[in-house]
Amino acid sequence: MNKAVLLTPVNHDRDSAEMTYVYPVVSRRAGGVSVGINLNPNNACNWACVYCQVPGLTRGTAPDIDLAQLEAELRAMLTDILHGDFMQTRVPDGARRLNDIALSGNGEPTSAKAFPQVIELIGRVMADFDLVGKIKLLLITNGSLTDRPRVQDGLRKMAALNGEVWFKFDSATTAGMRSINQTRISPDKQFERLAMAARLCPTWLQTCVFALDGAPPSDAEQAAYLAAAARIRQQSIPVQGVLLYGLARPSMQPQASRLSALPGEWLEAFAEKIRAAGLPVKVSP
C-alpha cells in the first residue's frame, strides 16, 4: 500500500491502496475514515450523473466479483487501519477514527449480481474484527434496482449489521432526473423504490445541489422536491432525513464546465424549507 499519500476529503483516489475493490477515504460527511468498497472497477453505471467524479464513466453494470479477493483486501485494509500505522501515516489529525465501511465506488453497487453475498462477506469480516454495531455499513446507491429480490435480500442483511442506505434523490421531476442523473426512470417509480428501501433498512435521501449554467435549481424543481418530502411524511415512509450536499470535487463528466458550487447560504436556506416539509436535514456545503 502506498503510504506516502496523505488522504484528505478532496483526495478520494480509489487506487491509493493498490487494491481492486477496497480503498480508504477521509469522508467530510462522516468525519473520519471510511473504508470504501468498489464493486464497479470497470467504471460502469446504469446512470450517468452530471456531477460524477468517476473518469471514463461508461453505461453498464458491475462485473463478476471475485469474492475471495474482496475478502482478502478488506481484511488487509482493516488490519492496517486497526492494528498498523495507517492512521498515523495516512490520515490527518482530527479524522483518525474508523467511521464506516461504505459500498460506493465507480458505479451502482447493487448492479453486482453477488450483492447479497458481498453483504454476507462484509458481515463475516466485521464480526471477526469486532466491528458489528460499532461502525456503520453504508450503501451509497441510486436506488434504481431496489425492487429486485437480490437487492432487497442484501438490504435486509445490511439492516442486521447496523446498515444504512444513502439513496440518491437529486430531483423529483422527470426533466430534472433526465438532466441531472441522465436516466429515464420516472420520479413516481423512484419514489416507490425509496419506500421499499426505507422499510428494509434505515435510509437517508442523499441530494446533490449545484448551479447549472450559473443558475440554482428552479422554483419548480424546489417545489417538486418539497412536495416529495411532504409525501414521505404523509405516507409514514420511515426515511431518516436528507443528506444535502454541494459540489466538493470537480465532475469528470462532459457537462463539468456547466456546473458550479452554490453558496453555503443557499444550501442552508433550502435545508430549512425541507425541514419545514417534515424531514431532518444534514448539510455539507
Side-chain angles (χ1 to χ4, degrees):
M1 189 182 299
N2 179 3
K3 296 182 183 296
V5 180
L6 186 69
L7 295 171
T8 70
V10 295
N11 174 21
H12 284 203
D13 180 3
R14 287 169 186 156
D15 296 321
S16 66
E18 299 169 355
M19 296 179 176
T20 299
Y21 299 112
V22 177
Y23 61 98
V25 298
V26 174
S27 171
R28 66 190 173 119
R29 281 184 280 173
V33 174
S34 176
V35 173
I37 295 182
N38 178 19
L39 300 183
N40 304 77
N42 59 348
N43 294 358
C45 190
N46 61 340
W47 287 16
C49 300
V50 294
Y51 54 75
C52 183
Q53 295 108 11
V54 175
L57 184 71
T58 60
R59 294 280 187 157
T61 61
D64 290 338
I65 305 300
D66 185 331
L67 295 173
Q69 181 180 348
L70 171 56
E71 182 166 352
E73 290 183 2
L74 182 57
R75 289 183 183 277
M77 178 63 67
L78 290 173
T79 297
D80 199 16
I81 289 171
L82 297 172
H83 306 300
D85 63 358
F86 178 89
M87 290 294 193
Q88 289 69 37
T89 59
R90 301 289 306 280
V91 181
D93 287 340
R96 290 175 179 165
R97 71 182 187 95
L98 177 61
N99 188 78
D100 58 66
I101 296 172
L103 290 126
S104 177
N106 291 9
E108 174 50 43
T110 64
S111 69
K113 294 184 181 68
F115 176 69
Q117 291 75 32
V118 169
I119 302 302
E120 288 177 4
L121 178 161
I122 295 170
R124 257 196 330 272
V125 175
M126 289 176 68
D128 288 349
F129 283 85
D130 192 27
L131 293 173
V132 178
K134 296 180 179 178
I135 66 170
K136 289 279 186 188
L137 173 59
L138 300 180
L139 170 66
I140 301 175
T141 175
N142 63 30
S144 62
L145 305 176
T146 305
D147 45 5
R148 297 193 178 183
R150 61 176 174 76
V151 176
Q152 295 182 16
D153 183 29
L155 294 182
R156 290 187 192 96
K157 290 176 166 63
M158 280 189 61
L161 295 168
N162 197 29
E164 192 170 278
V165 176
W166 291 5
F167 189 106
K168 189 184 298 294
F169 198 79
D170 297 325
S171 173
T173 71
T174 299
M177 290 185 68
R178 190 166 293 188
S179 171
I180 298 169
N181 308 121
Q182 299 195 86
T183 176
R184 293 180 179 274
I185 289 174
S186 75
D188 283 343
K189 189 65 179 176
Q190 193 69 348
F191 194 92
E192 289 176 18
R193 290 168 174 150
L194 168 64
M196 290 177 196
R199 291 180 173 127
L200 291 169
C201 187
T203 296
W204 288 79
L205 302 185
Q206 61 155 356
T207 299
C208 183
V209 289
F210 52 89
L212 181 66
D213 298 325
S218 68
D219 290 346
E221 275 290 325
Q222 294 180 55
Y225 188 100
L226 297 171
R231 185 178 167 197
I232 287 167
R233 300 302 298 166
Q234 290 159 2
Q235 297 185 9
S236 299
I237 298 169
V239 167
Q240 306 297 302
V242 177
L243 304 173
L244 185 69
Y245 67 105
L247 297 178
R249 292 170 285 138
S251 166
M252 298 297 288
Q253 305 315 308
Q255 302 87 347
S257 64
R258 301 178 60 199
L259 313 183
S260 57
L262 289 167
E265 299 79 28
W266 194 98
L267 271 71
E268 289 292 349
F270 189 45
E272 280 304 312
K273 294 176 185 176
I274 299 169
R275 292 181 185 114
L279 293 180
V281 184
K282 297 179 182 178
V283 179
S284 299

